[in-house]
Amino acid sequence: MDINKLLRGVNCSCGKHHSCDIKYVYIEDNATKNLSKICQDNHTVLIVADENTFQAAGEITLSALNGKNIKKVIFSGNEILVPNEAAIQTVTENLDDADIMIGIGSGVIQDLCKYVSFYNKVPYIIVATAPSMDGYASNGAAMITGGLKVTYPAGLPMAIIADTKVLSNAPMEMIKAGFGDIIGKFSALNDWKLSHLINDEYFCDYIYDLTYQQIKTTLDLADGILKRDEKSIKVLMEALVVIGILMSFAGSSRPASGSEHHLSHFFEITGILEKTAYFSHGIDVAYSTVITAKIRERLLANPFPSQIYRPAHCSYTQKMEQLYHSSAQGCIDLQEKYGRYKNHTAQMYLNKETEIRRILSEMPTAETIEKMLSLVNLDIREFYEQYGEEKINHAILYAKDLKDRYTVLWMHYDLFGFSRKD
């Protein structure tokens, strides 16, 4: 796909002119050579990376910046980098007179640079080291602040530089994560349709269809991905970048992030709070997509009830504090702001039941999703072994509270929550 043509914008039948302010996207062999031209008017460059990502692409980046005044923030590669207040401060304190930042890395490095760039009005470029997620071209920065996973509105990179040799040599888990993140769009797109029906949320057929096209393209890459075939990795990275651009077109991450991401965020947040292991983002999204497919199957298999369950406020608060500890109040405040625990919408669900069921049935089955993941040797059994049934059930019930977005998790809670004793 011609990404740079897509960047020029689309006059859409939805009534909006879709645009994205990224100037350059280079996904090719020796892509870093383009930095010399892009940065020709810059003098001081702040490099942000961790030890692993700098090892992957640091030298070729510096070579392309020969003659520039270079400053570096290199985080440890021996522990998980969390995009929190401390990391933000570290990068910000080193900005000084830098007139551009270059992040070398993937998800966390990207989000850190995006956030610091936006709030300090210093442009940035991302040199991608793995085809692991779709946030390279999105205008949201997924940070962990106040103990919560918060997606902040943020600026876009001036350029995305992705050397296909570097991408092909990324850890296989990160390559699989990119594949898994795209499989998660089955769930995200279905949630978007549901919210359009339930809440009259903005919806765009063009964005929906083009996102869906990226899923179909990616499914054909599985064999090449496992072989680290450079052409397959290039197409995977292109699909991830296109989806990021489409998020910018939509003005939010809605086309690419729904219930499957909320479950992933639950495992990440509780893992950080409890100091327990959790999968990388894309892997969690992939496995969580199986869970959201099972939720849809349960909704399809049962009649819609005429009553909606709501827990007593004290019971709800206690459960949130048990799960989210010091972050619980932020989740409670968020849901009280949007009033979802005060809504009693059983009749609305009944009135729209036929259309709801039609939309839910568009999602591939859990078994089908499992087969898709098995194409890159992702086995759902490791998900159950990692988290256990109790934690997964808690995620199904309470991951929805981490975000202000309506998804199938809310529908499941609304329609079947009344039978729970918790």
Side-chain angles (χ1 to χ4, degrees), residues 180-188 259-261 263-264 267 282-297 363-367 369-370 372-373 380 383:
D181 199 12
I182 287 193
I183 297 303
K185 308 318 170 201
F186 280 119
S187 174
S259 50
E260 74 300 325
H261 273 67
L263 295 177
S264 171
F267 298 122
I283 302 293
D284 256 339
V285 166
Y287 289 141
S288 294
T289 302
V290 176
I291 304 302
T292 69
K294 289 184 176 182
I295 290 170
R296 290 174 171 88
E297 288 168 20
M363 172 82 179
T365 66
E367 181 180 4
I369 296 294
E370 287 184 40
M372 292 175 183
L373 298 181
I380 189 66
F383 180 75

Side-chain angles (χ1 to χ4, degrees), residues 30-45:
N30 195 25
T32 51
K33 70 179 185 295
N34 296 288
L35 285 169
S36 177
K37 175 185 67 176
I38 296 170
C39 298
Q40 61 184 347
D41 296 326
N42 298 110
H43 302 287
T44 301
V45 181

